[in-house]
mmCIF file with all atom_site columns, all heavy atoms in Angstrom:
data_model
loop_
_atom_site.group_PDB
_atom_site.id
_atom_site.type_symbol
_atom_site.label_atom_id
_atom_site.label_alt_id
_atom_site.label_comp_id
_atom_site.label_asym_id
_atom_site.label_entity_id
_atom_site.label_seq_id
_atom_site.pdbx_PDB_ins_code
_atom_site.Cartn_x
_atom_site.Cartn_y
_atom_site.Cartn_z
_atom_site.occupancy
_atom_site.B_iso_or_equiv
_atom_site.pdbx_formal_charge
_atom_site.auth_seq_id
_atom_site.auth_comp_id
_atom_site.auth_asym_id
_atom_site.auth_atom_id
_atom_site.pdbx_PDB_model_num
ATOM 1  N N   . GLU A 1 108 ? 3.364  9.380  -99.539  1.00 0.00 ? 108 GLU A N   1
ATOM 2  C CA  . GLU A 1 108 ? 2.197  10.248 -99.400  1.00 0.00 ? 108 GLU A CA  1
ATOM 3  C C   . GLU A 1 108 ? 0.961  9.451  -99.009  1.00 0.00 ? 108 GLU A C   1
ATOM 4  O O   . GLU A 1 108 ? 0.132  9.924  -98.233  1.00 0.00 ? 108 GLU A O   1
ATOM 5  C CB  . GLU A 1 108 ? 1.942  11.020 -100.696 1.00 0.00 ? 108 GLU A CB  1
ATOM 6  C CG  . GLU A 1 108 ? 2.948  12.127 -100.911 1.00 0.00 ? 108 GLU A CG  1
ATOM 7  C CD  . GLU A 1 108 ? 2.687  12.940 -102.166 1.00 0.00 ? 108 GLU A CD  1
ATOM 8  O OE1 . GLU A 1 108 ? 1.564  12.877 -102.720 1.00 0.00 ? 108 GLU A OE1 1
ATOM 9  O OE2 . GLU A 1 108 ? 3.604  13.653 -102.590 1.00 0.00 ? 108 GLU A OE2 1
ATOM 10 N N   . GLU A 1 109 ? 0.849  8.225  -99.528  1.00 0.00 ? 109 GLU A N   1
ATOM 11 C CA  . GLU A 1 109 ? -0.286 7.373  -99.181  1.00 0.00 ? 109 GLU A CA  1
ATOM 12 C C   . GLU A 1 109 ? -0.239 6.984  -97.706  1.00 0.00 ? 109 GLU A C   1
ATOM 13 O O   . GLU A 1 109 ? -1.262 6.956  -97.030  1.00 0.00 ? 109 GLU A O   1
ATOM 14 C CB  . GLU A 1 109 ? -0.290 6.113  -100.052 1.00 0.00 ? 109 GLU A CB  1
ATOM 15 C CG  . GLU A 1 109 ? -1.540 5.272  -99.867  1.00 0.00 ? 109 GLU A CG  1
ATOM 16 C CD  . GLU A 1 109 ? -1.580 4.085  -100.817 1.00 0.00 ? 109 GLU A CD  1
ATOM 17 O OE1 . GLU A 1 109 ? -1.275 4.272  -102.006 1.00 0.00 ? 109 GLU A OE1 1
ATOM 18 O OE2 . GLU A 1 109 ? -1.909 2.987  -100.343 1.00 0.00 ? 109 GLU A OE2 1
ATOM 19 N N   . VAL A 1 110 ? 0.943  6.713  -97.181  1.00 0.00 ? 110 VAL A N   1
ATOM 20 C CA  . VAL A 1 110 ? 1.101  6.332  -95.774  1.00 0.00 ? 110 VAL A CA  1
ATOM 21 C C   . VAL A 1 110 ? 0.911  7.538  -94.858  1.00 0.00 ? 110 VAL A C   1
ATOM 22 O O   . VAL A 1 110 ? 0.220  7.465  -93.850  1.00 0.00 ? 110 VAL A O   1
ATOM 23 C CB  . VAL A 1 110 ? 2.495  5.697  -95.525  1.00 0.00 ? 110 VAL A CB  1
ATOM 24 C CG1 . VAL A 1 110 ? 2.753  5.491  -94.034  1.00 0.00 ? 110 VAL A CG1 1
ATOM 25 C CG2 . VAL A 1 110 ? 2.621  4.383  -96.266  1.00 0.00 ? 110 VAL A CG2 1
ATOM 26 N N   . LEU A 1 111 ? 1.518  8.670  -95.225  1.00 0.00 ? 111 LEU A N   1
ATOM 27 C CA  . LEU A 1 111 ? 1.558  9.827  -94.333  1.00 0.00 ? 111 LEU A CA  1
ATOM 28 C C   . LEU A 1 111 ? 0.417  10.829 -94.516  1.00 0.00 ? 111 LEU A C   1
ATOM 29 O O   . LEU A 1 111 ? 0.193  11.662 -93.631  1.00 0.00 ? 111 LEU A O   1
ATOM 30 C CB  . LEU A 1 111 ? 2.899  10.554 -94.469  1.00 0.00 ? 111 LEU A CB  1
ATOM 31 C CG  . LEU A 1 111 ? 4.117  9.781  -94.000  1.00 0.00 ? 111 LEU A CG  1
ATOM 32 C CD1 . LEU A 1 111 ? 5.375  10.598 -94.202  1.00 0.00 ? 111 LEU A CD1 1
ATOM 33 C CD2 . LEU A 1 111 ? 3.984  9.357  -92.541  1.00 0.00 ? 111 LEU A CD2 1
ATOM 34 N N   . GLU A 1 112 ? -0.252 10.799 -95.648  1.00 0.00 ? 112 GLU A N   1
ATOM 35 C CA  . GLU A 1 112 ? -1.345 11.731 -95.918  1.00 0.00 ? 112 GLU A CA  1
ATOM 36 C C   . GLU A 1 112 ? -0.906 13.164 -95.594  1.00 0.00 ? 112 GLU A C   1
ATOM 37 O O   . GLU A 1 112 ? 0.090  13.629 -96.114  1.00 0.00 ? 112 GLU A O   1
ATOM 38 C CB  . GLU A 1 112 ? -2.610 11.310 -95.162  1.00 0.00 ? 112 GLU A CB  1
ATOM 39 C CG  . GLU A 1 112 ? -3.109 9.928  -95.566  1.00 0.00 ? 112 GLU A CG  1
ATOM 40 C CD  . GLU A 1 112 ? -4.291 9.452  -94.750  1.00 0.00 ? 112 GLU A CD  1
ATOM 41 O OE1 . GLU A 1 112 ? -5.011 10.293 -94.156  1.00 0.00 ? 112 GLU A OE1 1
ATOM 42 O OE2 . GLU A 1 112 ? -4.509 8.224  -94.710  1.00 0.00 ? 112 GLU A OE2 1
ATOM 43 N N   . ASP A 1 113 ? -1.629 13.875 -94.719  1.00 0.00 ? 113 ASP A N   1
ATOM 44 C CA  . ASP A 1 113 ? -1.295 15.271 -94.405  1.00 0.00 ? 113 ASP A CA  1
ATOM 45 C C   . ASP A 1 113 ? 0.090  15.434 -93.782  1.00 0.00 ? 113 ASP A C   1
ATOM 46 O O   . ASP A 1 113 ? 0.667  16.528 -93.822  1.00 0.00 ? 113 ASP A O   1
ATOM 47 C CB  . ASP A 1 113 ? -2.331 15.883 -93.456  1.00 0.00 ? 113 ASP A CB  1
ATOM 48 C CG  . ASP A 1 113 ? -3.573 16.384 -94.166  1.00 0.00 ? 113 ASP A CG  1
ATOM 49 O OD1 . ASP A 1 113 ? -3.617 16.330 -95.415  1.00 0.00 ? 113 ASP A OD1 1
ATOM 50 O OD2 . ASP A 1 113 ? -4.514 16.842 -93.478  1.00 0.00 ? 113 ASP A OD2 1
ATOM 51 N N   . ALA A 1 114 ? 0.638  14.382 -93.207  1.00 0.00 ? 114 ALA A N   1
ATOM 52 C CA  . ALA A 1 114 ? 1.946  14.485 -92.558  1.00 0.00 ? 114 ALA A CA  1
ATOM 53 C C   . ALA A 1 114 ? 3.076  14.781 -93.549  1.00 0.00 ? 114 ALA A C   1
ATOM 54 O O   . ALA A 1 114 ? 4.134  15.242 -93.144  1.00 0.00 ? 114 ALA A O   1
ATOM 55 C CB  . ALA A 1 114 ? 2.260  13.222 -91.764  1.00 0.00 ? 114 ALA A CB  1
ATOM 56 N N   . VAL A 1 115 ? 2.850  14.549 -94.838  1.00 0.00 ? 115 VAL A N   1
ATOM 57 C CA  . VAL A 1 115 ? 3.890  14.903 -95.811  1.00 0.00 ? 115 VAL A CA  1
ATOM 58 C C   . VAL A 1 115 ? 4.117  16.411 -95.831  1.00 0.00 ? 115 VAL A C   1
ATOM 59 O O   . VAL A 1 115 ? 5.154  16.875 -96.292  1.00 0.00 ? 115 VAL A O   1
ATOM 60 C CB  . VAL A 1 115 ? 3.605  14.390 -97.242  1.00 0.00 ? 115 VAL A CB  1
ATOM 61 C CG1 . VAL A 1 115 ? 3.546  12.888 -97.299  1.00 0.00 ? 115 VAL A CG1 1
ATOM 62 C CG2 . VAL A 1 115 ? 2.371  15.021 -97.826  1.00 0.00 ? 115 VAL A CG2 1
ATOM 63 N N   . ALA A 1 116 ? 3.178  17.175 -95.309  1.00 0.00 ? 116 ALA A N   1
ATOM 64 C CA  . ALA A 1 116 ? 3.328  18.625 -95.246  1.00 0.00 ? 116 ALA A CA  1
ATOM 65 C C   . ALA A 1 116 ? 4.536  19.037 -94.408  1.00 0.00 ? 116 ALA A C   1
ATOM 66 O O   . ALA A 1 116 ? 5.042  20.148 -94.543  1.00 0.00 ? 116 ALA A O   1
ATOM 67 C CB  . ALA A 1 116 ? 2.062  19.265 -94.674  1.00 0.00 ? 116 ALA A CB  1
ATOM 68 N N   . PHE A 1 117 ? 5.024  18.120 -93.572  1.00 0.00 ? 117 PHE A N   1
ATOM 69 C CA  . PHE A 1 117 ? 6.164  18.429 -92.714  1.00 0.00 ? 117 PHE A CA  1
ATOM 70 C C   . PHE A 1 117 ? 7.504  18.115 -93.387  1.00 0.00 ? 117 PHE A C   1
ATOM 71 O O   . PHE A 1 117 ? 8.548  18.253 -92.763  1.00 0.00 ? 117 PHE A O   1
ATOM 72 C CB  . PHE A 1 117 ? 6.042  17.671 -91.384  1.00 0.00 ? 117 PHE A CB  1
ATOM 73 C CG  . PHE A 1 117 ? 4.862  18.117 -90.568  1.00 0.00 ? 117 PHE A CG  1
ATOM 74 C CD1 . PHE A 1 117 ? 3.619  17.522 -90.732  1.00 0.00 ? 117 PHE A CD1 1
ATOM 75 C CD2 . PHE A 1 117 ? 4.979  19.152 -89.656  1.00 0.00 ? 117 PHE A CD2 1
ATOM 76 C CE1 . PHE A 1 117 ? 2.516  17.942 -90.012  1.00 0.00 ? 117 PHE A CE1 1
ATOM 77 C CE2 . PHE A 1 117 ? 3.888  19.586 -88.921  1.00 0.00 ? 117 PHE A CE2 1
ATOM 78 C CZ  . PHE A 1 117 ? 2.647  18.980 -89.100  1.00 0.00 ? 117 PHE A CZ  1
ATOM 79 N N   . ALA A 1 118 ? 7.486  17.719 -94.648  1.00 0.00 ? 118 ALA A N   1
ATOM 80 C CA  . ALA A 1 118 ? 8.724  17.375 -95.364  1.00 0.00 ? 118 ALA A CA  1
ATOM 81 C C   . ALA A 1 118 ? 9.724  18.518 -95.326  1.00 0.00 ? 118 ALA A C   1
ATOM 82 O O   . ALA A 1 118 ? 10.915 18.314 -95.098  1.00 0.00 ? 118 ALA A O   1
ATOM 83 C CB  . ALA A 1 118 ? 8.411  16.972 -96.803  1.00 0.00 ? 118 ALA A CB  1
ATOM 84 N N   . GLY A 1 119 ? 9.260  19.731 -95.535  1.00 0.00 ? 119 GLY A N   1
ATOM 85 C CA  . GLY A 1 119 ? 10.154 20.890 -95.517  1.00 0.00 ? 119 GLY A CA  1
ATOM 86 C C   . GLY A 1 119 ? 10.762 21.156 -94.150  1.00 0.00 ? 119 GLY A C   1
ATOM 87 O O   . GLY A 1 119 ? 11.861 21.696 -94.035  1.00 0.00 ? 119 GLY A O   1
ATOM 88 N N   . VAL A 1 120 ? 10.061 20.757 -93.105  1.00 0.00 ? 120 VAL A N   1
ATOM 89 C CA  . VAL A 1 120 ? 10.539 20.937 -91.730  1.00 0.00 ? 120 VAL A CA  1
ATOM 90 C C   . VAL A 1 120 ? 11.823 20.148 -91.504  1.00 0.00 ? 120 VAL A C   1
ATOM 91 O O   . VAL A 1 120 ? 12.690 20.556 -90.732  1.00 0.00 ? 120 VAL A O   1
ATOM 92 C CB  . VAL A 1 120 ? 9.440  20.510 -90.727  1.00 0.00 ? 120 VAL A CB  1
ATOM 93 C CG1 . VAL A 1 120 ? 9.952  20.499 -89.295  1.00 0.00 ? 120 VAL A CG1 1
ATOM 94 C CG2 . VAL A 1 120 ? 8.218  21.409 -90.859  1.00 0.00 ? 120 VAL A CG2 1
#
Side-chain angles (χ1 to χ4, degrees):
E108 286 182 17
E109 187 175 316
V110 171
L111 294 179
E112 299 175 22
D113 278 356
V115 298
F117 295 89
V120 172

